[in-house]
Amino acid sequence: GAVVSQHPSWVICKSGTSVKIECRSLDFQATTMFWYRQFPKQSLMLMATSNEGSKATYEQGVEKDKFLINHASLTLSTLTVTSAHPEDSSFYICSARQGTKLFFGSGTQLSVL
Amino acid sequence: GESVGLHLPTLSVQEGDNSIINCAYSNSASDYFIWYKQESGKGPQFIIDIRSNMDKRQGQRVTVLLNKTVKHLSLQIAATQPGDSAVYFCAENGQKQAGTALIFGKGTTLSVSS
């Protein structure tokens, strides 16, 4: 299957700082990528849909000014958690579409102190 | 083998047994369903998918059954191995177009003992 690379795999930051997470489709172009969030022992919750060259579409209850998404190329989408707080600590996972199938990155564990 | 009629958060089986993991989906408009396996600290890994015009699809050691009447999906794993231990999620597309954002169900943690 297609490979989606997510970086970093884990990050620890201080409260109030911003963190950027990258999602790359390595061997295919992805016009659409998705960002999910997962709390311990819970399911994946869709945060937003990232479209290359246009604004992201956010799910209800997700603050677009808090979670900035940039999909500047066909192989890269970034999620920036701005002014992170401890409640933003979570596992963030991206996925990219190739044809009709979705492939997932390995996730980023964010811990905000 | 061991089966569950309703969704259970955990399932424990012996190595070599058959496992059946159940999932109830919510959106009657969904026409594409996928099972994912997630190991601790990793992203979901595709296992098998099925479209709504089918009621059964088989892969290597895995079978997915779809019952649209009751909006129920199941994953059967034959001859379960310790390496199958993980959390399993079903996902639906919620819309008519496959490849759009997926809606994940509650996961089931499968534990396989030797």
Side-chain angles (χ1 to χ4, degrees), chain B residues 49-67:
Chain B
D49 59 359
I50 188 169
R51 298 193 183 279
S52 59
N53 60 353
M54 304 171 66
D55 53 20
K56 180 179 179 179
R57 188 160 189 235
Q58 287 185 296
Q60 188 176 13
R61 279 203 309 120
V62 295
T63 301
V64 55
L65 299 177
L66 174 63
N67 185 330

Side-chain angles (χ1 to χ4, degrees), chain B residues 44-99:
Chain B
Q45 177 185 356
F46 174 90
I47 300 174
I48 191 169
D49 59 359
I50 188 169
R51 298 193 183 279
S52 59
N53 60 353
M54 304 171 66
D55 53 20
K56 180 179 179 179
R57 188 160 189 235
Q58 287 185 296
Q60 188 176 13
R61 279 203 309 120
V62 295
T63 301
V64 55
L65 299 177
L66 174 63
N67 185 330
K68 295 182 289 295
T69 302
V70 295
K71 293 191 288 187
H72 184 267
L73 197 66
S74 70
L75 176 70
Q76 300 177 4
I77 304 174
T80 315
Q81 303 167 1
D84 295 327
S85 295
V87 180
Y88 290 80
F89 292 97
C90 66
E92 58 182 301
N93 67 341
Q95 301 176 41
K96 287 298 183 183
Q97 182 182 0

Side-chain angles (χ1 to χ4, degrees), chain B:
Chain B
E2 183 175 346
S3 66
V4 291
L6 299 174
H7 170 263
L8 292 179
T10 61
L11 176 63
S12 297
V13 300
Q14 291 285 323
E15 181 178 3
D17 284 354
N18 296 328
S19 303
I20 301 177
I21 301 172
N22 292 315
C23 174
Y25 64 92
S26 57
N27 194 330
S28 57
S30 294
D31 67 347
Y32 180 58
F33 306 89
I34 312 97
W35 279 100
Y36 286 94
K37 172 185 179 183
Q38 186 180 28
E39 297 175 324
S40 180
K42 297 183 180 180
Q45 177 185 356
F46 174 90
I47 300 174
I48 191 169
D49 59 359
I50 188 169
R51 298 193 183 279
S52 59
N53 60 353
M54 304 171 66
D55 53 20
K56 180 179 179 179
R57 188 160 189 235
Q58 287 185 296
Q60 188 176 13
R61 279 203 309 120
V62 295
T63 301
V64 55
L65 299 177
L66 174 63
N67 185 330
K68 295 182 289 295
T69 302
V70 295
K71 293 191 288 187
H72 184 267
L73 197 66
S74 70
L75 176 70
Q76 300 177 4
I77 304 174
T80 315
Q81 303 167 1
D84 295 327
S85 295
V87 180
Y88 290 80
F89 292 97
C90 66
E92 58 182 301
N93 67 341
Q95 301 176 41
K96 287 298 183 183
Q97 182 182 0
T100 54
L102 298 175
I103 302 167
F104 282 77
K106 298 177 182 179
T108 295
T109 299
L110 175 64
S111 299
V112 183
S113 53
S114 308

Side-chain angles (χ1 to χ4, degrees), chain A residues 52-65:
Chain A
E52 187 269 334
S54 63
K55 291 182 178 180
T57 304
Y58 291 82
E59 294 300 299
Q60 191 172 11
V62 178
E63 300 176 55
K64 62 180 181 180
D65 295 329

